[in-house]
Amino acid sequence: MHVATLAKARTAVMALETCIAFLLADELDADEYTNFKTKAPLKAREIRDDEDDDGEDDHKNNYFSATVPSLSVMDFQKYFQLTQTQVEELVRLLSPCEWATSKLQGWTVMHAVLASLWTLSTLESHSSVAARFHTNESLICHQLKEFCTHVTANFANNIRWPKWKEADASVSGFSSSIGLPGAVCVVGSCVIPVERPTDVPDPEAYRDSEKSYSVNLMAFCNHQGCFTYVTAEHPGSWHNSKVLLETEVGRALQEDPVNLLRGKHIIGDATFPLSEHLLTPFPDYGTLGEKKLRYNLKVQAGLKVTNNAACIECMEEHSVAQEPFHELPNGHSGSLGGISKRQDIAASLGRKPKRDSAKGYYRRWYEV
């Protein structure tokens, strides 16, 4: 599914388009994005400029020709979620695509990309964006849909499950950054408000306790915060443990975890079921020992990778508290293998971790 899932599961155009846009950043230049730590809240933002209404030349008030080029490096990435270099690369990659708006005089692929990224990253209304970029609302709306279509069609393979050297690099990255051995990915989720879906069998399943509609965005990230798997098609009212079971990763964890992880594991919070393939924190009732507390702190540090990932600002703004899996009516404290592995890792913290061994197995979806 990957990025293409977001295009198909359009239960909320703005919510899913937002996911698509933010998924771009870490794939175009992961290292550059990793070094940028400034957070930009998901809300409409204003640029403070010298724009006025006294009839000055349009060129001075035009965002494309005047304001955008004058933005600092930090402000540019704040408003477009990508660096100038990343935007130029994105324009280069999308230029060969057929753009219906390319026939408009003075409207280029660069204009289309900048206007679409602005709309997605600031969540301004289409009418506000149209006024800002001196065009009409219908063009902004059409351009946004066209932009997302081209992105999903051309970047569907950019989000992939880590394997071999990529998996080893992620394990090494987590080990060196947070001191937790064997972790290849972390998983996190958030709830995104949507309009009532019309293309699903049971729209009311997407209504939560507050009578509003939402979808669950679940994302897996490597040590750099780059997405390795994303899904945004399940009801926001579902518990994370249920959503996980319905994903390709969840099914692989059930059917063929050895081929998926090759002895490594995923890190998740307490809303996920503990197993030897998905490790969660120790339940803390105020009696944990020093090593277990240290383990929990390292797990929390690992989970922050998803919070710092490109689109997971929404995880902070739209996060919903869920019951720990072990406290659910059908929950449990974890598999014996998971309990034992978690205990062993907690006891080993401070010692040099053993090197993971890579074994060859037959190929599946996550090896393509």
Side-chain angles (χ1 to χ4, degrees):
M1 295 191 295
H2 306 319
V3 184
T5 300
L6 303 181
K8 296 178 181 178
R10 297 183 68 83
T11 57
V13 174
M14 183 55 66
L16 300 187
E17 285 170 347
T18 302
C19 299
I20 294 171
F22 288 124
L23 293 179
L24 290 173
D26 58 311
E27 297 304 332
L28 290 174
D29 192 342
D31 292 334
E32 184 172 2
Y33 194 89
T34 301
N35 295 329
F36 181 77
K37 300 300 182 181
T38 300
K39 294 186 177 181
L42 284 178
K43 61 182 180 180
R45 296 178 286 248
E46 299 292 336
I47 287 183
R48 291 183 293 181
D49 56 14
D50 296 325
E51 185 178 75
D52 54 39
D53 300 319
D54 61 1
E56 290 187 7
D57 189 278
D58 283 344
H59 177 80
K60 294 182 179 179
N61 290 329
N62 189 289
Y63 271 71
F64 287 126
S65 59
T67 305
V68 172
S70 69
L71 291 175
S72 67
V73 173
M74 299 288 283
D75 281 342
F76 187 95
Q77 187 158 2
K78 175 181 179 182
Y79 297 119
F80 295 102
Q81 295 298 313
L82 302 178
T83 65
Q84 293 177 343
T85 302
Q86 289 171 341
V87 169
E88 291 171 359
E89 176 65 8
L90 181 58
V91 170
R92 184 188 69 80
L93 294 172
L94 294 180
S95 291
C97 301
E98 294 185 7
W99 294 83
T101 54
S102 61
K103 298 179 181 179
L104 296 175
Q105 185 176 4
W107 190 264
T108 66
V109 176
M110 177 64 79
H111 290 91
V113 170
L114 287 176
S116 298
L117 289 176
W118 183 283
T119 305
L120 293 166
S121 64
T122 65
L123 298 187
E124 284 187 357
S125 66
H126 291 177
S127 59
S128 176
V129 176
R132 183 181 298 279
F133 289 104
H134 290 212
T135 185
N136 58 72
E137 184 176 351
S138 61
L139 174 62
I140 293 297
C141 182
H142 179 80
Q143 190 67 87
L144 185 61
K145 293 180 180 179
E146 193 171 34
F147 171 77
C148 291
T149 297
H150 290 321
V151 167
T152 55
N154 290 279
F155 296 102
N157 295 324
N158 281 34
I159 299 178
R160 57 185 179 272
W161 191 258
K163 59 179 182 178
W164 305 116
K165 290 183 178 180
E166 291 181 350
D168 291 339
S170 190
V171 170
S172 177
F174 278 120
S175 180
S176 61
S177 62
I178 63 175
L180 202 60
V184 67
C185 285
V186 293
V187 57
S189 71
C190 70
V191 171
I192 302 179
V194 300
E195 296 179 356
R196 185 180 188 275
T198 59
D199 55 351
V200 295
D202 184 12
E204 292 306 306
Y206 291 78
R207 177 177 287 187
D208 56 31
S209 58
E210 297 181 357
K211 307 302 181 182
S212 58
Y213 296 92
S214 62
V215 295
N216 181 299
L217 168 64
M218 185 168 289
F220 293 76
C221 302
N222 66 11
H223 67 292
Q224 294 178 310
C226 296
F227 294 99
T228 58
Y229 182 87
V230 177
T231 179
E233 59 180 315
H234 304 293
S237 59
W238 283 14
H239 193 271
N240 281 342
S241 58
K242 182 176 181 180
V243 175
L244 177 65
L245 289 175
E246 296 297 323
T247 67
E248 289 177 295
V249 173
R251 288 191 289 270
L253 287 174
Q254 295 290 321
E255 301 169 4
D256 190 16
V258 174
N259 202 18
L260 177 70
L261 298 173
R262 296 185 176 88
K264 304 172 181 64
H265 53 261
I266 301 168
I267 300 174
D269 63 25
T271 62
F272 295 96
L274 169 67
S275 72
E276 61 184 300
H277 312 297
L278 200 163
L279 299 184
T280 62
F282 287 99
D284 190 355
Y285 302 108
T287 59
L288 291 181
E290 180 181 350
K291 290 186 177 181
K292 291 182 178 180
L293 285 174
R294 186 185 302 121
Y295 167 87
N296 279 4
L297 289 175
K298 293 182 180 295
V299 169
Q300 292 173 11
L303 295 177
K304 288 182 179 180
V305 171
T306 56
N307 292 333
N308 293 332
C311 88
I312 312 300
E313 286 176 357
C314 66
M315 288 189 175
E316 295 180 347
E317 185 163 332
H318 299 296
S319 61
V320 175
Q322 295 189 0
E323 290 293 322
F325 176 76
H326 65 273
E327 294 183 4
L328 297 178
N330 61 337
H332 52 75
S333 58
S335 68
L336 292 178
I339 294 173
S340 176
K341 187 174 186 179
R342 182 173 65 181
Q343 188 76 26
D344 290 343
I345 291 178
S348 71
L349 291 179
R351 300 201 303 265
K352 185 177 180 179
K354 296 181 181 179
R355 177 179 295 180
D356 293 303
S357 60
K359 299 180 180 179
Y361 299 93
Y362 55 91
R363 297 166 66 84
R364 287 200 174 187
W365 63 269
Y366 37 80
E367 299 183 289
V368 177

Short mmCIF file of all heavy atoms in Angstrom, two decimals, residues 161-162 167 170-172 174-175 178-187 220-223 228 249 253 257-258 260-268 273-280 295 298-299 337-338 340-346 348-349 353-354 356:
data_model
loop_
_atom_site.label_atom_id
_atom_site.label_comp_id
_atom_site.label_asym_id
_atom_site.label_seq_id
_atom_site.Cartn_x
_atom_site.Cartn_y
_atom_site.Cartn_z
N TRP A 161 10.12 -0.95 3.46
CA TRP A 161 10.55 -1.59 4.70
C TRP A 161 12.06 -1.82 4.66
O TRP A 161 12.61 -2.27 3.66
CB TRP A 161 9.83 -2.92 4.88
CG TRP A 161 10.02 -3.49 6.24
CD1 TRP A 161 10.86 -4.49 6.61
CD2 TRP A 161 9.38 -3.06 7.44
NE1 TRP A 161 10.78 -4.72 7.96
CE2 TRP A 161 9.87 -3.86 8.49
CE3 TRP A 161 8.42 -2.09 7.72
CZ2 TRP A 161 9.44 -3.71 9.80
CZ3 TRP A 161 8.00 -1.94 9.02
CH2 TRP A 161 8.50 -2.74 10.05
N PRO A 162 12.79 -1.50 5.73
CA PRO A 162 14.26 -1.65 5.72
C PRO A 162 14.67 -3.12 5.68
O PRO A 162 14.09 -3.96 6.35
CB PRO A 162 14.69 -0.99 7.03
CG PRO A 162 13.48 -1.10 7.92
CD PRO A 162 12.29 -0.96 7.01
N ALA A 167 18.42 -2.09 7.14
CA ALA A 167 17.99 -2.56 8.46
C ALA A 167 19.15 -2.50 9.46
O ALA A 167 18.97 -2.06 10.60
CB ALA A 167 17.44 -3.97 8.36
N SER A 170 19.75 1.04 10.52
CA SER A 170 18.75 1.52 11.47
C SER A 170 19.00 0.97 12.86
O SER A 170 18.90 1.70 13.86
CB SER A 170 17.34 1.13 10.99
OG SER A 170 16.35 1.76 11.76
N VAL A 171 19.34 -0.30 12.95
CA VAL A 171 19.66 -0.91 14.25
C VAL A 171 20.86 -0.20 14.87
O VAL A 171 20.85 0.14 16.07
CB VAL A 171 19.95 -2.41 14.09
CG1 VAL A 171 20.52 -2.98 15.39
CG2 VAL A 171 18.67 -3.15 13.71
N SER A 172 21.88 0.04 14.06
CA SER A 172 23.07 0.73 14.56
C SER A 172 22.73 2.15 14.99
O SER A 172 23.23 2.63 16.02
CB SER A 172 24.14 0.76 13.46
OG SER A 172 25.28 1.48 13.88
N PHE A 174 19.75 3.35 16.09
CA PHE A 174 19.01 3.33 17.36
C PHE A 174 19.94 2.98 18.52
O PHE A 174 19.82 3.55 19.61
CB PHE A 174 17.87 2.31 17.30
CG PHE A 174 16.62 2.81 16.63
CD1 PHE A 174 16.13 2.18 15.50
CD2 PHE A 174 15.95 3.92 17.12
CE1 PHE A 174 14.98 2.64 14.87
CE2 PHE A 174 14.80 4.38 16.50
CZ PHE A 174 14.32 3.74 15.37
N SER A 175 20.85 2.06 18.29
CA SER A 175 21.76 1.65 19.36
C SER A 175 22.67 2.79 19.79
O SER A 175 22.89 3.01 20.99
CB SER A 175 22.60 0.45 18.89
OG SER A 175 23.49 0.04 19.90
N ILE A 178 20.09 6.04 21.17
CA ILE A 178 19.31 5.88 22.40
C ILE A 178 19.81 4.72 23.26
O ILE A 178 19.34 4.53 24.38
CB ILE A 178 17.81 5.68 22.09
CG1 ILE A 178 17.59 4.38 21.30
CG2 ILE A 178 17.26 6.88 21.36
CD1 ILE A 178 16.11 4.06 21.08
N GLY A 179 20.76 3.94 22.74
CA GLY A 179 21.32 2.85 23.53
C GLY A 179 20.41 1.65 23.67
O GLY A 179 20.54 0.88 24.63
N LEU A 180 19.50 1.45 22.72
CA LEU A 180 18.60 0.31 22.77
C LEU A 180 18.95 -0.65 21.64
O LEU A 180 18.81 -0.29 20.46
CB LEU A 180 17.15 0.78 22.65
CG LEU A 180 16.06 -0.16 23.18
CD1 LEU A 180 16.27 -0.43 24.67
CD2 LEU A 180 14.69 0.44 22.96
N PRO A 181 19.39 -1.85 21.93
CA PRO A 181 19.87 -2.76 20.89
C PRO A 181 18.74 -3.46 20.15
O PRO A 181 17.66 -3.69 20.69
CB PRO A 181 20.69 -3.78 21.69
CG PRO A 181 20.02 -3.81 23.03
CD PRO A 181 19.58 -2.40 23.29
N GLY A 182 19.00 -3.79 18.88
CA GLY A 182 18.11 -4.65 18.11
C GLY A 182 16.90 -4.00 17.49
O GLY A 182 16.14 -4.67 16.80
N ALA A 183 16.69 -2.71 17.70
CA ALA A 183 15.49 -2.05 17.18
C ALA A 183 15.71 -1.62 15.75
O ALA A 183 16.65 -0.90 15.44
CB ALA A 183 15.14 -0.84 18.04
N VAL A 184 14.81 -2.04 14.85
CA VAL A 184 14.91 -1.67 13.44
C VAL A 184 13.93 -0.54 13.08
O VAL A 184 14.20 0.24 12.17
CB VAL A 184 14.67 -2.89 12.53
CG1 VAL A 184 13.24 -3.39 12.64
CG2 VAL A 184 15.03 -2.58 11.08
N CYS A 185 12.81 -0.46 13.80
CA CYS A 185 11.80 0.56 13.53
C CYS A 185 11.06 0.91 14.82
O CYS A 185 11.06 0.14 15.78
CB CYS A 185 10.76 0.08 12.50
SG CYS A 185 11.35 0.06 10.80
N VAL A 186 10.44 2.06 14.81
CA VAL A 186 9.50 2.42 15.87
C VAL A 186 8.15 2.67 15.21
O VAL A 186 8.09 3.05 14.04
CB VAL A 186 9.95 3.67 16.64
CG1 VAL A 186 11.20 3.40 17.43
CG2 VAL A 186 10.18 4.85 15.69
N VAL A 187 7.09 2.45 15.95
CA VAL A 187 5.74 2.65 15.42
C VAL A 187 4.99 3.65 16.30
O VAL A 187 5.12 3.64 17.52
CB VAL A 187 4.97 1.31 15.33
CG1 VAL A 187 4.88 0.63 16.70
CG2 VAL A 187 3.57 1.54 14.75
N PHE A 220 5.45 3.70 10.70
CA PHE A 220 6.68 3.07 11.17
C PHE A 220 7.85 3.89 10.64
O PHE A 220 7.86 4.29 9.47
CB PHE A 220 6.79 1.63 10.66
CG PHE A 220 5.76 0.70 11.23
CD1 PHE A 220 4.45 0.73 10.78
CD2 PHE A 220 6.10 -0.23 12.21
CE1 PHE A 220 3.49 -0.13 11.30
CE2 PHE A 220 5.15 -1.09 12.73
CZ PHE A 220 3.84 -1.04 12.28
N CYS A 221 8.85 4.16 11.48
CA CYS A 221 10.00 4.98 11.08
C CYS A 221 11.30 4.29 11.45
O CYS A 221 11.37 3.54 12.41
CB CYS A 221 9.96 6.34 11.79
SG CYS A 221 8.47 7.30 11.49
N ASN A 222 12.34 4.60 10.67
CA ASN A 222 13.67 4.11 11.02
C ASN A 222 14.35 5.07 11.98
O ASN A 222 13.72 6.01 12.48
CB ASN A 222 14.51 3.86 9.77
CG ASN A 222 14.83 5.16 9.01
OD1 ASN A 222 14.61 6.27 9.51
ND2 ASN A 222 15.36 5.01 7.82
N HIS A 223 15.64 4.90 12.23
CA HIS A 223 16.34 5.70 13.24
C HIS A 223 16.44 7.17 12.85
O HIS A 223 16.64 8.02 13.71
CB HIS A 223 17.74 5.14 13.45
CG HIS A 223 18.65 5.30 12.28
ND1 HIS A 223 18.45 4.61 11.09
CD2 HIS A 223 19.76 6.06 12.09
CE1 HIS A 223 19.39 4.95 10.23
NE2 HIS A 223 20.20 5.83 10.81
N THR A 228 9.00 4.02 6.94
CA THR A 228 9.22 2.72 6.33
C THR A 228 7.90 2.03 5.99
O THR A 228 7.87 1.10 5.19
CB THR A 228 10.04 1.81 7.25
OG1 THR A 228 9.35 1.66 8.51
CG2 THR A 228 11.42 2.43 7.51
N VAL A 249 2.15 -4.92 7.87
CA VAL A 249 3.19 -5.20 8.87
C VAL A 249 2.63 -6.11 9.95
O VAL A 249 3.28 -7.08 10.37
CB VAL A 249 3.74 -3.90 9.48
CG1 VAL A 249 4.70 -4.22 10.63
CG2 VAL A 249 4.45 -3.07 8.42
N LEU A 253 3.89 -9.81 10.96
CA LEU A 253 4.32 -10.15 12.32
C LEU A 253 3.65 -11.43 12.80
O LEU A 253 4.23 -12.18 13.59
CB LEU A 253 4.01 -9.00 13.28
CG LEU A 253 4.87 -7.75 13.16
CD1 LEU A 253 4.35 -6.65 14.08
CD2 LEU A 253 6.33 -8.07 13.49
N PRO A 257 7.25 -13.43 10.97
CA PRO A 257 8.04 -12.38 11.63
C PRO A 257 9.54 -12.54 11.40
O PRO A 257 10.28 -11.56 11.37
CB PRO A 257 7.70 -12.54 13.11
CG PRO A 257 7.25 -13.97 13.24
CD PRO A 257 6.56 -14.28 11.95
N VAL A 258 10.01 -13.77 11.21
CA VAL A 258 11.44 -14.00 11.01
C VAL A 258 11.89 -13.36 9.70
O VAL A 258 12.93 -12.70 9.62
CB VAL A 258 11.76 -15.51 11.01
CG1 VAL A 258 13.22 -15.75 10.65
CG2 VAL A 258 11.44 -16.11 12.38
N LEU A 260 10.43 -10.93 8.15
CA LEU A 260 10.23 -9.48 8.21
C LEU A 260 11.34 -8.79 8.98
O LEU A 260 11.84 -7.75 8.57
CB LEU A 260 8.88 -9.16 8.88
CG LEU A 260 8.56 -7.68 9.09
CD1 LEU A 260 8.29 -7.00 7.75
CD2 LEU A 260 7.35 -7.53 10.02
N LEU A 261 11.74 -9.39 10.10
CA LEU A 261 12.65 -8.70 11.04
C LEU A 261 14.03 -9.33 11.15
O LEU A 261 14.96 -8.65 11.61
CB LEU A 261 12.00 -8.67 12.43
CG LEU A 261 10.68 -7.90 12.51
CD1 LEU A 261 10.05 -8.09 13.89
CD2 LEU A 261 10.91 -6.42 12.24
N ARG A 262 14.17 -10.60 10.81
CA ARG A 262 15.46 -11.29 10.88
C ARG A 262 16.13 -11.11 12.24
O ARG A 262 17.28 -10.70 12.34
CB ARG A 262 16.38 -10.80 9.77
CG ARG A 262 15.87 -11.12 8.38
CD ARG A 262 16.88 -10.73 7.31
NE ARG A 262 16.40 -11.13 6.01
CZ ARG A 262 15.62 -10.37 5.24
NH1 ARG A 262 15.26 -9.17 5.65
NH2 ARG A 262 15.20 -10.78 4.06
N GLY A 263 15.38 -11.39 13.29
CA GLY A 263 15.92 -11.35 14.64
C GLY A 263 15.87 -9.99 15.30
O GLY A 263 16.18 -9.86 16.48
N LYS A 264 15.51 -8.97 14.55
CA LYS A 264 15.41 -7.62 15.12
C LYS A 264 14.00 -7.42 15.65
O LYS A 264 13.17 -8.34 15.64
CB LYS A 264 15.75 -6.58 14.05
CG LYS A 264 17.14 -6.80 13.42
CD LYS A 264 17.35 -5.88 12.24
CE LYS A 264 18.71 -6.11 11.60
NZ LYS A 264 18.85 -7.46 11.00
N HIS A 265 13.68 -6.21 16.12
CA HIS A 265 12.35 -5.97 16.65
C HIS A 265 11.92 -4.53 16.42
O HIS A 265 12.72 -3.67 16.06
CB HIS A 265 12.29 -6.31 18.15
CG HIS A 265 13.35 -5.63 18.95
ND1 HIS A 265 14.51 -6.26 19.34
CD2 HIS A 265 13.45 -4.36 19.44
CE1 HIS A 265 15.27 -5.44 20.03
NE2 HIS A 265 14.66 -4.26 20.10
N ILE A 266 10.64 -4.31 16.65
CA ILE A 266 10.03 -2.99 16.54
C ILE A 266 9.78 -2.46 17.94
O ILE A 266 9.55 -3.24 18.88
CB ILE A 266 8.70 -3.08 15.76
CG1 ILE A 266 8.95 -3.65 14.35
CG2 ILE A 266 7.99 -1.74 15.67
CD1 ILE A 266 7.68 -4.05 13.62
N ILE A 267 9.81 -1.15 18.10
CA ILE A 267 9.50 -0.52 19.39
C ILE A 267 8.16 0.17 19.29
O ILE A 267 7.90 0.91 18.34
CB ILE A 267 10.58 0.51 19.77
CG1 ILE A 267 11.94 -0.14 19.89
CG2 ILE A 267 10.20 1.19 21.09
CD1 ILE A 267 13.06 0.84 20.12
N GLY A 268 7.30 -0.05 20.25
CA GLY A 268 6.00 0.60 20.30
C GLY A 268 5.66 1.00 21.72
O GLY A 268 6.34 0.60 22.67
N PRO A 273 0.52 -4.80 21.60
CA PRO A 273 0.78 -6.05 22.34
C PRO A 273 2.26 -6.39 22.37
O PRO A 273 2.94 -6.33 21.35
CB PRO A 273 -0.02 -7.10 21.55
CG PRO A 273 -0.12 -6.54 20.17
CD PRO A 273 -0.20 -5.04 20.34
N LEU A 274 2.76 -6.74 23.53
CA LEU A 274 4.16 -7.11 23.69
C LEU A 274 4.42 -8.48 23.10
O LEU A 274 3.69 -9.43 23.36
CB LEU A 274 4.53 -7.11 25.18
CG LEU A 274 5.88 -7.72 25.55
CD1 LEU A 274 7.02 -6.86 25.00
CD2 LEU A 274 5.99 -7.87 27.07
N SER A 275 5.47 -8.58 22.29
CA SER A 275 5.92 -9.86 21.77
C SER A 275 7.43 -9.76 21.56
O SER A 275 8.02 -8.69 21.72
CB SER A 275 5.23 -10.21 20.45
OG SER A 275 5.71 -9.38 19.40
N GLU A 276 8.05 -10.85 21.21
CA GLU A 276 9.49 -10.81 20.97
C GLU A 276 9.82 -10.00 19.72
O GLU A 276 10.98 -9.65 19.50
CB GLU A 276 10.05 -12.22 20.84
CG GLU A 276 9.47 -13.02 19.69
CD GLU A 276 10.01 -14.44 19.67
OE1 GLU A 276 11.24 -14.58 19.56
OE2 GLU A 276 9.20 -15.38 19.78
N HIS A 277 8.80 -9.69 18.91
CA HIS A 277 9.01 -8.93 17.68
C HIS A 277 8.59 -7.46 17.83
O HIS A 277 8.98 -6.63 17.02
CB HIS A 277 8.22 -9.56 16.54
CG HIS A 277 8.42 -11.03 16.42
ND1 HIS A 277 9.65 -11.60 16.15
CD2 HIS A 277 7.54 -12.06 16.59
CE1 HIS A 277 9.53 -12.93 16.14
NE2 HIS A 277 8.26 -13.23 16.40
N LEU A 278 7.82 -7.15 18.84
CA LEU A 278 7.39 -5.77 19.11
C LEU A 278 7.49 -5.53 20.61
O LEU A 278 6.68 -6.04 21.38
CB LEU A 278 5.95 -5.55 18.61
CG LEU A 278 5.52 -4.10 18.39
CD1 LEU A 278 4.25 -4.05 17.52
CD2 LEU A 278 5.29 -3.35 19.68
N LEU A 279 8.49 -4.77 20.99
CA LEU A 279 8.74 -4.53 22.41
C LEU A 279 8.08 -3.24 22.88
O LEU A 279 8.09 -2.23 22.17
CB LEU A 279 10.24 -4.46 22.68
CG LEU A 279 11.04 -5.73 22.36
CD1 LEU A 279 12.50 -5.55 22.77
CD2 LEU A 279 10.44 -6.95 23.06
N THR A 280 7.52 -3.27 24.05
CA THR A 280 6.83 -2.14 24.65
C THR A 280 7.43 -1.84 26.02
O THR A 280 8.22 -2.63 26.55
CB THR A 280 5.32 -2.45 24.80
OG1 THR A 280 5.17 -3.58 25.67
CG2 THR A 280 4.70 -2.78 23.44
N TYR A 295 15.34 1.17 30.89
CA TYR A 295 14.80 0.61 29.65
C TYR A 295 13.62 1.44 29.15
O TYR A 295 13.53 1.78 27.97
CB TYR A 295 14.38 -0.84 29.88
CG TYR A 295 13.53 -1.42 28.77
CD1 TYR A 295 14.10 -2.02 27.66
CD2 TYR A 295 12.13 -1.35 28.84
CE1 TYR A 295 13.32 -2.54 26.65
CE2 TYR A 295 11.34 -1.86 27.84
CZ TYR A 295 11.93 -2.45 26.74
OH TYR A 295 11.14 -2.97 25.73
N LYS A 298 14.65 4.65 27.55
CA LYS A 298 15.21 4.46 26.22
C LYS A 298 14.11 4.18 25.20
O LYS A 298 14.19 4.62 24.04
CB LYS A 298 16.24 3.32 26.25
CG LYS A 298 17.49 3.67 27.07
CD LYS A 298 18.50 2.56 27.04
CE LYS A 298 19.74 2.93 27.86
NZ LYS A 298 20.47 4.07 27.28
N VAL A 299 13.09 3.45 25.60
CA VAL A 299 11.96 3.22 24.71
C VAL A 299 11.26 4.54 24.39
O VAL A 299 10.91 4.82 23.23
CB VAL A 299 10.96 2.22 25.33
CG1 VAL A 299 9.66 2.19 24.53
CG2 VAL A 299 11.57 0.83 25.39
N GLY A 337 7.84 -15.05 24.96
CA GLY A 337 9.06 -14.63 24.28
C GLY A 337 9.31 -13.14 24.42
O GLY A 337 10.45 -12.70 24.60
N GLY A 338 8.21 -12.35 24.37
CA GLY A 338 8.34 -10.91 24.51
C GLY A 338 8.73 -10.50 25.92
O GLY A 338 9.59 -9.62 26.12
N SER A 340 10.36 -12.32 28.10
CA SER A 340 11.74 -12.74 28.33
C SER A 340 12.73 -11.82 27.62
O SER A 340 13.75 -11.42 28.20
CB SER A 340 11.92 -14.18 27.84
OG SER A 340 13.26 -14.59 27.97
N LYS A 341 12.43 -11.46 26.37
CA LYS A 341 13.34 -10.61 25.61
C LYS A 341 13.45 -9.22 26.21
O LYS A 341 14.54 -8.66 26.31
CB LYS A 341 12.87 -10.52 24.15
CG LYS A 341 13.85 -9.80 23.24
CD LYS A 341 13.39 -9.89 21.79
CE LYS A 341 14.42 -9.30 20.84
NZ LYS A 341 14.00 -9.41 19.41
N ARG A 342 12.32 -8.67 26.62
CA ARG A 342 12.32 -7.36 27.25
C ARG A 342 13.12 -7.38 28.54
O ARG A 342 13.89 -6.46 28.82
CB ARG A 342 10.88 -6.89 27.50
CG ARG A 342 10.79 -5.49 28.11
CD ARG A 342 9.35 -5.03 28.17
NE ARG A 342 8.54 -5.85 29.08
CZ ARG A 342 7.24 -5.66 29.30
NH1 ARG A 342 6.60 -4.70 28.65
NH2 ARG A 342 6.58 -6.43 30.14
N GLN A 343 12.94 -8.42 29.30
CA GLN A 343 13.68 -8.57 30.56
C GLN A 343 15.18 -8.66 30.29
O GLN A 343 16.00 -8.04 30.99
CB GLN A 343 13.20 -9.82 31.31
CG GLN A 343 13.74 -9.96 32.71
CD GLN A 343 13.05 -9.04 33.70
OE1 GLN A 343 11.90 -8.65 33.48
NE2 GLN A 343 13.74 -8.67 34.77
N ASP A 344 15.56 -9.44 29.29
CA ASP A 344 16.97 -9.62 28.96
C ASP A 344 17.60 -8.30 28.50
O ASP A 344 18.74 -7.99 28.87
CB ASP A 344 17.14 -10.68 27.87
CG ASP A 344 16.83 -12.08 28.37
OD1 ASP A 344 16.79 -12.27 29.61
OD2 ASP A 344 16.61 -12.98 27.53
N ILE A 345 16.88 -7.55 27.67
CA ILE A 345 17.43 -6.28 27.17
C ILE A 345 17.59 -5.30 28.33
O ILE A 345 18.62 -4.61 28.43
CB ILE A 345 16.53 -5.69 26.07
CG1 ILE A 345 16.61 -6.55 24.81
CG2 ILE A 345 16.92 -4.24 25.76
CD1 ILE A 345 15.73 -6.09 23.68
N ALA A 346 16.59 -5.23 29.20
CA ALA A 346 16.69 -4.33 30.36
C ALA A 346 17.89 -4.69 31.22
O ALA A 346 18.62 -3.82 31.71
CB ALA A 346 15.41 -4.38 31.17
N SER A 348 20.60 -6.11 30.22
CA SER A 348 21.86 -5.98 29.49
C SER A 348 22.25 -4.53 29.23
O SER A 348 23.35 -4.29 28.72
CB SER A 348 21.76 -6.71 28.15
OG SER A 348 20.89 -6.01 27.27
N LEU A 349 21.39 -3.59 29.54
CA LEU A 349 21.69 -2.20 29.23
C LEU A 349 22.97 -1.78 29.92
O LEU A 349 23.17 -2.01 31.11
CB LEU A 349 20.54 -1.29 29.66
CG LEU A 349 19.25 -1.45 28.84
CD1 LEU A 349 18.17 -0.52 29.37
CD2 LEU A 349 19.50 -1.20 27.37
N PRO A 353 25.95 -4.51 22.97
CA PRO A 353 24.99 -5.46 22.38
C PRO A 353 25.66 -6.39 21.39
O PRO A 353 26.68 -6.06 20.77
CB PRO A 353 23.98 -4.54 21.68
CG PRO A 353 24.78 -3.32 21.35
CD PRO A 353 25.73 -3.14 22.50
N LYS A 354 25.09 -7.57 21.25
CA LYS A 354 25.60 -8.53 20.29
C LYS A 354 25.23 -8.10 18.88
O LYS A 354 24.21 -7.46 18.66
CB LYS A 354 25.00 -9.92 20.56
CG LYS A 354 25.39 -10.50 21.91
CD LYS A 354 24.77 -11.87 22.08
CE LYS A 354 25.15 -12.48 23.43
NZ LYS A 354 24.52 -13.80 23.61
N ASP A 356 23.78 -8.38 15.25
CA ASP A 356 22.69 -9.13 14.63
C ASP A 356 23.22 -9.93 13.46
O ASP A 356 24.09 -9.48 12.71
CB ASP A 356 21.59 -8.19 14.13
CG ASP A 356 20.90 -7.49 15.28
OD1 ASP A 356 20.38 -8.19 16.14
OD2 ASP A 356 20.88 -6.24 15.28
#
